[in-house]
C-alpha cells in the first residue's frame, strides 16, 4: 500500500485499518474490534503477551539462532550478541527471579539502570509477567528517582552497581539508597546487578545480589494479558516539578510499533536496526527494545557516546560492523560528531554503506546538520517528530510506503492514524503556511497514551485546550506541500540534547537556593545541544560572591534534577523584567539571550529593567 492510501484508510476507517495491522502479532484471544465504543480504547477483548511477540514467537518460528540483541559497550570494551533463543532464556530466568520475589501481575517495578543487556532483560521480563515497568533514566538524581518511587509505588527496584559515563564510573547504589530514604513509599527488594567496575554494598535487608538470585531462579513463562494491561509507566517533564507518568497499554503499543517498523522505517525482519538513544527515554522503549524485536530485527544496545568513546567514528564503525540498515539518533549526536570530524574522515573510513537511511528525532533538526550528514552518507536523512505521550512517530516520511523524504526543515507528513490540524488560539484551523498550535484530532491511534498514572486531571488537560483534539504543546505550520514544520514548544518545556526538560521545574530548584530571591529560567540556543537552560536570578542580600552563588545554583540543579539539566549561563540581575501583574517576561529574556526582536509590552512594570538586563547579559557574555 502507498502512503496516501494508507493514510486515507487509517482516518476513514481506523477500526478496520488497525484490526488489519493487528494481524502482525500473535494473540491468545484475537480482538473482536479495533477501536472501542468509548472512542479511545484499542483491541478490547483481545489477549496477548508482548514479550512472547518480541522474543518467544521468533524462536518458535525457527529463528532462535538469529541475532536479537547486540550489546556494544566501548566504555567497557565489550561486544556481545544474544540470539533470540539466548534472549528468551535470559528473560525467562529474570522473570523467574522477579516472580520469586513475590511480584504479581500489575505490580510496578522500577528499573534504574545503565545501558547494559540486563536492563533489556528486565523490561521484557516485566512484560512477560504483566509487571508494569517504569524505567528511570540513569542520569536522574536521587530526588527525581524518589518522586517516581512515590508516584508509582514499586514493589521492586532493579539497578546496577554503576553506570559508566565516558571515563567516569558512577555508583548507582548510593543514589538508589538516597532515593529510598527520601521517598515515603517502601519497596520489598532492591536487586543489584554487580558490575566489575564497581561493587555495591548490599547492607539493607531488602538488598539482593542479582547474579545470585538469578542463579536460583526457575524460568517463568509468558502470562496472557488483556489488551489494555499497562505495559509500562514512563515519566516525562510537565510544567511543574512533578513528572507525568505516561501509561502505555499493551496491545495498541505492540500493534503500532509492529506496523511502524516496515512502514515508517522500511526494515525487514532479520535486518539490524539501531536507535542510538537511552532506554530511559521513549525512543529507547519503542525503538531499542520493543519495536525492533517485535519485527524480528536485531537491535543494538550502545553504552557509549557519539564522540569520545573512543572517537566520532564509533557510530559509523558499528553500523558497518553489524550491517545496520537503519540508524536513528538525535540531531545533537550528529552535531557532536560533526564538531569532532568536520570533514567526515572517520565516517568515510568506516564505510557505513549498508545504511539505507538515517532517522532523526527528539529535537529540531537544523537544516545545516541534516545537509552535512546527508552529504557525508549519501543516503536519505529523515527527520520525524513524536512525543513520550504518543509513543511512536506522528510526523514522518514513511520510507516503507514509498514516500520520498520530506523537504529539509520539515518533520514530515502525518503518519497514518494521526489526523493533524494547525489551530489558532481559539481552536479554529488556520490555513497552509500559517503557524499555529499543532493538534491531533481524536481518536488517537493505537500506542498513544490513554492515561497518566494516578493523574486523571493532568491527562484531561491535554484535551481541554481544543475540544476534540489532543494539544501537542508544539507550534507548527503545514506547508502547501502537506509537510509540517515544527517551530518549538508553546509551554515552558525545553529540549536539551534531545532530552525534554521543564524550565518551571529548574526554576523551582533554583528558587529554593538560599542565596536566590527570585529567578527565571529560559532555553538559550546552543550550537551543540540545541537548547540549554539559562538562569537569571536576583541574589539575596548578604549572599556570597557571584561565583559562589552560581556554584550553588548549578550544584543544586545537578543534585536535585540531573547533570543533563545543568544551566549553561547563570546571570545575576538587580531585578527581573515583569508585567504590572507580576508575570516575568520570559519571551523578553529569551530575545535577550537568543538575539530575537525585543518587544516591550505595554503592561511592563519596570521598563528600565529591560535595558539593564540587555546590558547585564552582554557584560556576562564578555566576562
Ligand atoms: N548517567 C549519569 N550521568 C549522565 C548520564 C547518565 N546516563 N547521561 C548524561 N550524564 C551526565 C554527563 O556525564 C554530564 O555530566 P558532567 O556535566 O558532569 O560532565 C552531563 O550529564 C551532561 O551530559 P550530556 O548531555 O550527555 O552532555 P555531554 O557533554 O557529556 O555530551 C553529547 C554531549 C552531545 C555527546 C550528548 O549530549 C549526546 O550524546 N547527546 C545525544 C542524546 C541522545 O541521544 N538523545 C536521544 C534522545 S531521543
Ligand atoms: P519527548 O516527549 O521527550 O520525546 O519530547 C517531545 C518533544 O520533543 C516534542 O513535543 C517536541 O517539542 C520535541 N521534538 C521531538 N521530535 C522533534 C522533531 N523532529 N523536531 C522538532 N521537535 C521535536
Amino acid at each position: 500500500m502507498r502512503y496516501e492510501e494508507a493514510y486515507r484508510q487509517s482516518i476513514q476507517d481506523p477500526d478496520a485499518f488497525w484490526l488489519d495491522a493487528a494481524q502482525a502479532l500473535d494473540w491468545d484471544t484475537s480482538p473482536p474490534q479495533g477501536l472501542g465504543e468509548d472512542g479511545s480504547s484499542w483491541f478490547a477483548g483481545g489477549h496477548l503477551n508482548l514479550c512472547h511477540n518480541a522474543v518467544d514467537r521468533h524462536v518458535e518460528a525457527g529463528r532462535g539462532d538469529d541475532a536479537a540483541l547486540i550489546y556494544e559497550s566501548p566504555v567497557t570494551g565489550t561486544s556481545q550478541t544474544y540470539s533470540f533463543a539466548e534472549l528468551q532464556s535470559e528473560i525467562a530466568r529474570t522473570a523467574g527471579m522477579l516472580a520469586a520475589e513475590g511480584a504479581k501481575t500489575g505490580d510496578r517495578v522500577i528499573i534504574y539502570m545503565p545501558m547494559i543487556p540486563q536492563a533489556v532483560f528486565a523490561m521484557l521480563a516485566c512484560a512477560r509477567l504483566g509487571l508494569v515497568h517504569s524505567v528511570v533514566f540513569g542520569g536522574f538524581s536521587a530526588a527525581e528517582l524518589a518522586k517516581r518511587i512515590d508516584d508509582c509505588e514499586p514493589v521492586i527496584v532493579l539497578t546496577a552497581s554503576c553506570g559508566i559515563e565516558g571515563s567516569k564510573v558512577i555508583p548507582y547504589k548510593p543514589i538508589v539508597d538516597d532515593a529510598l530514604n527520601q521517598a515515603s513509599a517502601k519497596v520489598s527488594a532492591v536487586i543489584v546487578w554487580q558490575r566489575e567496575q564497581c561493587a555495591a554494598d548490599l547492607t539493607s535487608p531488602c538488598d539482593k545480589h542479582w547474579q545470585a538470585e538469578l542463579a536460583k531462579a526457575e524460568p517463568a513463562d509468558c502470562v496472557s494479558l488483556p489488551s489494555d494491561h499497562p505495559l509500562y509507566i514512563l515519566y516525562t517533564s510537565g510544567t511543574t516539578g512533578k513528572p507525568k507518568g505516561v501509561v502505555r497499554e499493551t496491545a495498541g503499543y505492540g500493534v503500532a510499533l509492529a506496523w511502524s517498523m516496515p512502514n515508517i522505517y522500511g526494515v525487514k525482519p532479520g535486518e539490524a536496526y539501531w536507535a542510538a538513544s537511552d532506554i530511559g527515554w521513549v525512543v529507547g522503549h519503542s525503538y531499542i527494545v520493543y519495536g525492533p524485536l517485535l519485527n524480528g530485527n536485531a537491535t543494538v544496545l550502545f553504552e557509549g557516546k557519539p564522540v569520545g568513546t573512543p572517537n566520532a567514528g564509533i557510530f559509523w564503525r558499528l553500523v558497518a560492523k553489524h550491517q545496520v540498515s537503519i540508524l536513528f539518533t538525535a540531531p545533537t549526536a550528529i552535531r557532536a560528531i560533526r564538531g569532532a570530524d568536520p570533514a567526515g574522515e572517520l565516517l568515510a573510513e568506516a564505510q557505513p554503506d549498508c545504511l539505507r537511511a538515517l532517522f532523526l528525532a527528539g529535537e529540531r533538526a537544523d537544516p545545516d546538520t541534516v545537509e552535512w550528514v546527508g552529504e557525508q552518507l549519501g543516503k536519505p536523512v529523515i527527520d520525524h517528530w513524536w512525543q513520550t505521550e504518543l509513543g511512536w512517530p506522528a510526523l514522518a516520511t514513511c520510507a516503507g510506503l514509498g514516500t520520498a523524504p520530506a523537504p529539509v526543515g520539515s518533520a514530515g507528513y502525518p503518519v497514518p492514524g494521526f489526523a493533524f490540524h494547525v489551530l489558532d488560539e481559539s481552536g479554529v484551523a488556520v490555513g497552509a503556511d500559517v503557524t499555529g498550535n499543532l493538534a491531533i484530532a481524536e481518536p488517537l491511534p493505537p500506542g498513544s497514551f490513554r492515561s497518566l498514572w494516578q493523574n486523571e486531571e493532568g491527562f484531561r488537560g491535554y484535551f481541554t485546550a481544543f475540544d476534540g483534539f489532543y494539544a501537542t504543546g508544539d507550534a507548527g505550520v503545514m506547508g502547501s506541500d502537506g509537510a509540517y514544520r515544527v517551530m518549538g514548544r508553546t509551554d515552558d518545556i525545553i529540549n536539551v540534547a534531545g532530552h525534554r526538560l521543564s524550565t518551571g521545574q529548574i526554576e523551582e530548584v533554583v528558587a529554593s537556593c538560599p542565596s536566590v530571591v527570585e529567578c527565571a529560567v529560559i532555553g538559550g540556543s546552543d550550537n551543540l545541544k540545541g537548547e540549554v537552560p539559562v538562569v537569571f536570578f536576583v541574589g539575596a542580600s548578604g549572599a556570597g560572591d557571584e561565583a559562589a552563588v552560581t556554584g550553588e545554583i548549578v550544584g543544586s540543579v545537578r543534585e536535585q534534577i540531573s547533570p543533563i539539566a545543568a544551566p549553561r549561563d547563570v546571570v545575576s540581575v538587580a531585578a527581573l523584567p515583569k508585567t504590572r501583574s507580576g508575570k516575568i517576561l520570559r519571551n523578553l529574556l529569551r530575545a535577550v539571550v537568543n538575539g530575537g526582536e525585543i518587544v516591550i509590552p505595554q503592561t511592563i512594570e519596570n521598563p528600565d529593567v529591560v535595558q539593564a538586563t540587555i546590558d547585564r547579559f552582554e557584560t556576562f557574555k564578555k566576562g
Side-chain angles (χ1 to χ4, degrees):
M1 199 187 296
R2 310 296 290 175
Y3 165 74
E4 288 77 10
E5 177 58 11
Y7 185 75
R8 191 188 56 72
Q9 283 190 19
S10 75
I11 301 301
Q12 283 181 356
D13 192 352
D15 182 71
F17 183 85
W18 291 112
L19 257 188
D20 185 48
Q23 290 181 25
L25 298 185
D26 265 9
W27 296 81
D28 302 317
T29 318
S30 292
Q33 56 183 340
L35 182 61
E37 263 117 55
D38 55 11
S40 71
S41 62
W42 288 97
F43 311 115
H47 284 80
L48 77 172
N49 184 285
L50 272 204
C51 179
H52 165 81
N53 273 282
V55 182
D56 299 56
R57 71 167 167 154
H58 303 310
V59 178
E60 287 164 17
R63 295 195 50 218
D65 292 338
D66 289 4
L69 179 68
I70 300 166
Y71 171 51
E72 280 289 349
S73 171
V75 293
T76 60
T78 316
S79 171
Q80 193 173 359
T81 297
Y82 296 82
S83 66
F84 278 103
E86 287 164 337
L87 187 58
Q88 181 187 37
S89 161
E90 295 286 354
I91 295 165
R93 285 194 308 126
T94 308
M97 173 181 87
L98 298 174
E101 270 319 315
K104 294 180 296 302
T105 301
D107 284 346
R108 274 79 59 212
V109 173
I110 280 204
I111 299 176
Y112 182 72
M113 307 238 343
M115 292 281 285
I116 58 175
Q118 287 67 31
V120 177
F121 305 156
M123 291 168 76
L124 288 159
C126 288
R128 198 170 185 82
L129 298 180
L131 307 175
V132 184
H133 61 71
S134 186
V135 182
V136 178
F137 172 59
F140 274 130
S141 65
E144 285 297 305
L145 180 57
K147 283 183 198 168
R148 288 153 176 78
I149 291 172
D150 273 340
D151 197 64
C152 76
E153 301 170 306
V155 292
I156 297 173
V157 174
L158 294 172
T159 189
S161 54
C162 63
I164 302 168
E165 265 290 295
S167 55
K168 286 180 289 187
V169 172
I170 301 174
Y172 276 14
K173 183 63 174 24
I175 302 174
V176 172
D177 288 344
D178 188 3
L180 287 166
N181 278 335
Q182 292 184 40
S184 315
K186 298 287 163 245
V187 304
S188 57
V190 175
I191 307 180
V192 185
W193 180 264
Q194 294 281 19
R195 303 187 75 183
E196 63 186 48
Q197 293 77 12
C198 159
D201 286 338
L202 306 181
T203 45
S204 143
C206 68
D207 290 347
K208 301 275 162 78
H209 187 294
W210 188 318
Q211 283 94 329
E213 297 302 314
L214 197 65
K216 294 186 272 180
E218 292 293 325
D221 270 342
C222 294
V223 171
S224 186
L225 298 163
S227 288
D228 64 355
H229 185 77
L231 176 70
Y232 65 75
I233 303 168
L234 178 58
Y235 288 90
T236 189
S237 296
T239 46
T240 65
K242 186 177 174 345
K244 301 197 266 197
V246 167
V247 179
R248 190 83 60 213
E249 295 179 1
T250 301
Y253 189 54
V255 171
L257 294 183
W259 186 89
S260 71
M261 294 300 297
N263 292 302
I264 297 182
Y265 299 103
V267 272
K268 291 182 270 310
E271 292 186 310
Y273 174 97
W274 178 12
S277 177
D278 190 287
I279 49 153
W281 310 117
V282 67
V283 173
H285 283 63
S286 298
Y287 293 111
I288 296 175
V289 182
Y290 289 104
L293 294 175
L294 285 168
N295 196 46
N297 295 113
T299 183
V300 180
L301 181 75
F302 175 65
E303 187 180 28
K305 297 251 178 187
V307 291
T309 59
N311 64 26
I314 187 72
F315 273 22
W316 319 122
R317 286 195 297 278
L318 292 181
V319 163
K321 177 178 173 188
H322 296 293
Q323 292 294 291
V324 170
S325 303
I326 297 293
L327 174 65
F328 173 175
T329 191
T332 299
I334 302 298
R335 287 194 292 268
I337 290 171
R338 182 184 184 181
D341 183 26
E345 284 161 12
L346 292 169
L347 186 151
E349 204 177 285
Q351 300 187 340
D353 305 335
C354 51
L355 199 66
R356 280 202 299 275
L358 169 67
F359 280 76
L360 300 175
E363 55 172 328
R364 181 175 170 268
D366 56 289
D368 197 32
T369 300
V370 172
E371 277 159 6
W372 177 82
V373 71
E375 272 164 31
Q376 302 299 324
L377 286 171
K379 299 287 163 62
V381 178
I382 300 176
D383 185 16
H384 62 332
W385 175 98
W386 46 305
Q387 305 179 304
T388 306
E389 290 84 346
L390 301 174
W392 62 293
L395 290 172
T397 292
C398 289
L401 293 175
T403 314
V408 174
S410 87
Y413 309 97
V415 167
F418 293 95
F420 272 85
H421 296 261
V422 183
L423 306 177
D424 69 14
E425 288 309 310
S426 54
V428 175
V430 300
D433 298 322
V434 180
T435 302
N437 298 285
L438 275 184
I440 305 169
E442 295 184 78
L444 292 177
S448 301
F449 74 151
R450 290 184 60 236
S451 61
L452 292 178
W453 186 255
Q454 293 181 337
N455 184 359
E456 178 57 23
E457 196 190 333
F459 176 71
R460 295 293 351 142
Y462 289 93
F463 298 89
T464 47
F466 308 113
D467 196 24
F469 296 89
Y470 163 80
T472 65
D474 278 30
V477 57
M478 188 190 73
S480 39
D481 54 1
Y484 283 72
R485 271 185 295 140
V486 178
M487 316 302 281
R489 296 287 306 189
T490 55
D491 55 16
D492 70 354
I493 283 169
I494 56 171
N495 232 291
V496 179
H499 307 317
R500 170 170 159 180
L501 299 171
S502 155
T503 53
Q505 179 187 11
I506 302 172
E507 272 179 20
E508 281 177 30
V509 171
V510 176
S512 69
C513 292
S515 307
V516 172
V517 171
E518 62 176 344
C519 67
V521 177
I522 54 120
S525 306
D526 186 82
N527 287 341
L528 175 62
K529 297 191 176 182
E531 279 183 296
V532 284
V534 173
V535 175
F536 287 88
F537 75 98
V538 179
S541 61
D545 68 14
E546 200 171 327
V549 181
T550 298
E552 181 188 343
I553 290 172
V554 174
S556 293
V557 174
R558 292 174 66 94
E559 176 80 20
Q560 294 292 315
I561 303 176
S562 168
I564 62 166
R568 178 192 64 188
D569 301 331
V570 179
V571 190
S572 75
V573 286
L576 292 166
K578 288 184 186 170
T579 61
R580 279 192 284 277
S581 60
K583 206 165 160 284
I584 297 168
L585 293 165
R586 289 185 176 73
N587 278 343
L588 197 146
L589 290 174
R590 271 190 279 271
V592 169
V593 172
N594 298 328
E597 188 193 350
I598 308 245
V599 181
I600 303 175
Q602 295 282 324
T603 54
I604 192 158
E605 181 201 32
N606 44 7
D608 299 348
V609 169
V610 176
Q611 195 54 48
T613 309
I614 296 169
D615 295 346
R616 174 71 191 101
F617 191 69
E618 263 179 28
T619 327
F620 175 86
K621 279 286 153 199
K622 281 189 197 133

